[in-house]
Amino acid sequence: MDTTGNQANQKLPLQGAGGLSAILSNVKGDRWIWLIVLMLSTISMLAVYSSIGTLAYTRGVGVESILMKHMFMIIAGIILMYVSHRLDYRYYAGISKILMIVTIPLLLFTLFFGSHINHASRWLAIPGTGLSFQTSDLAKLALITYLARILSRKQENIKDVKNSFIPIMGSVCVIFALIGPANLSTGLMLFGVSILLLIMGRISIKQIAVVCVAGMFLLTAMLFLGSRRATHISRVKAFFHPELADKDKLFQGNHAKIAIATGGFFGKGPGRSTERNYLPEAFSDEIFAIIVEEYGLFGGIVVISIYLFLLYRCIKIVTKAPKAFGALLAAGLSFSLTIQAFANMAVAVGLGPVTGVSLPLVSMGGTSILFTSIAFGIILSVSRDIDEPKKVVVGEIREA
């Protein structure tokens, strides 16, 4: 009897398993962070599917088509995360210079000629794709990687005003000045992350105070002279004095609070949110409110715990990183992600004025998911360098 065909059929599953194991063997870095990404992606799919009904109706398309686009962005983000984590993190030092050279002209162009959505010029259209992206997402990667590079390389003469401090202060203030007019909340968070990096980089308190004073001056100019000054001032007034604010200024915040208050401990159940029909940005800025409404306080605590655990794992990476550049890079990116996450959740529960900040890897954000995934990939690249054994090559020790 000819058993060749049966033998071939028996080998196919093994070959498939071997291919999968080969892919998994190339997945390096902190496995807990990979698990966190998968958990946040799953939560995102569930929450976005529940909250895009009104958006689909206004666009005249099916809910499934929007969900499939979101799923494609998540898959593309995981691919980018895999690619960026395979690249040795030390290459990002050189890439940071290119990113800064590209980012500043893009921010200028966006500020004057970008697409206006919700009275803010934050987006640039990508020709031929039908997609647009916020240049501030690129600016976050550029500034954090650049600061990590310059702080790590200038440690020996970190107090040198001309060669060290002025380039550092200039980069922070220029990026803040270009992001702030259209996206003040993102600019403030990035400025705060930059100050944390300066502290970690052993910049003197006096020099940090100078940067803060310059930041306050720029913030004051944006609040009183910027094109969106009325929006910024009205949101702050509505937060501190809701009894004096117009009802339309309180609409989003009030319905977010209703969603959270009616969720109870275990929530109304998946897909049973009612406030998704009222919240204007239920799938993006206010997605945490929808999660709490449908999955209750328990679901909200789970999401908060995931981001806290992410911060914990990143801090472990920072403390174990053998090089200053890797430590500063992982610290800056992890602070940026977690501060953004908690800022979004704070707004949803009424602890801050309304902003346009999304929940990383959970909100439906298109290309913002891609930039967030790259940030995760860079953090994983630093952790990969920690985990892999050392090899001696031509008399010097190099990380494998």
Side-chain angles (χ1 to χ4, degrees), residues 338-350:
T338 51
I339 289 174
Q340 179 179 335
F342 284 100
N344 173 277
M345 292 185 283
V347 170
V349 299

Side-chain angles (χ1 to χ4, degrees), residues 219-400:
L219 175 62
T220 304
M222 292 172 199
L223 287 175
F224 293 100
L225 301 176
S227 59
R228 302 194 72 218
R229 59 185 179 279
T231 301
H232 297 149
I233 293 173
S234 65
R235 286 179 176 180
V236 173
K237 285 183 176 179
F239 175 72
F240 287 105
H241 302 285
E243 70 282 357
L244 302 177
D246 296 333
K247 290 184 178 180
D248 59 332
K249 300 295 182 183
L250 303 173
F251 182 85
Q252 184 170 331
N254 285 344
H255 280 280
K257 293 174 186 175
I258 292 171
I260 291 171
T262 57
F265 191 80
F266 290 108
K268 299 177 180 177
R272 295 185 177 180
S273 167
T274 55
E275 293 305 313
R276 62 186 175 182
N277 300 316
Y278 301 99
L279 282 168
E281 298 291 337
F283 51 86
S284 180
D285 300 352
E286 301 293 349
I287 199 165
F288 182 71
I290 301 300
I291 291 172
V292 176
E293 184 183 11
E294 294 191 346
Y295 300 94
L297 179 63
F298 174 78
I301 291 174
V302 168
V303 174
I304 293 172
S305 300
I306 290 173
Y307 284 109
L308 285 174
F309 187 59
L310 169 64
L311 181 61
Y312 166 72
R313 296 305 304 179
C314 290
I315 290 174
K316 289 198 70 173
I317 293 170
V318 172
T319 56
K320 291 182 179 180
K323 302 291 185 181
F325 175 67
L328 290 169
L329 189 60
L333 292 174
S334 60
F335 288 153
S336 176
L337 291 170
T338 51
I339 289 174
Q340 179 179 335
F342 284 100
N344 173 277
M345 292 185 283
V347 170
V349 299
L351 294 179
V354 174
T355 65
V357 176
S358 59
L359 194 58
L361 276 191
V362 176
S363 296
M364 189 182 79
T367 52
S368 66
I369 292 176
L370 305 184
F371 286 105
T372 301
S373 299
I374 293 172
F376 271 104
I378 296 173
I379 295 171
L380 286 167
S381 178
V382 177
S383 71
R384 181 170 70 90
D385 182 72
I386 297 169
D387 294 339
E388 291 184 349
K390 311 289 183 182
K391 288 184 180 179
V392 179
V393 182
V394 195
E396 78 179 71
I397 297 177
R398 297 179 181 176
E399 284 86 1

Side-chain angles (χ1 to χ4, degrees), residues 192-209:
V193 171
S194 300
I195 295 299
L196 290 175
L197 282 180
L198 297 189
I199 294 172
M200 292 182 63
R202 299 193 302 116
I203 298 292
S204 69
I205 298 298
K206 185 183 295 185
Q207 290 177 332
I208 292 174

Side-chain angles (χ1 to χ4, degrees), residues 176-177 180 184 188 212-226 232:
F176 179 48
L184 184 58
L188 285 172
C212 291
V213 169
M216 289 298 296
F217 174 79
L218 291 172
L219 175 62
T220 304
M222 292 172 199
L223 287 175
F224 293 100
L225 301 176
H232 297 149

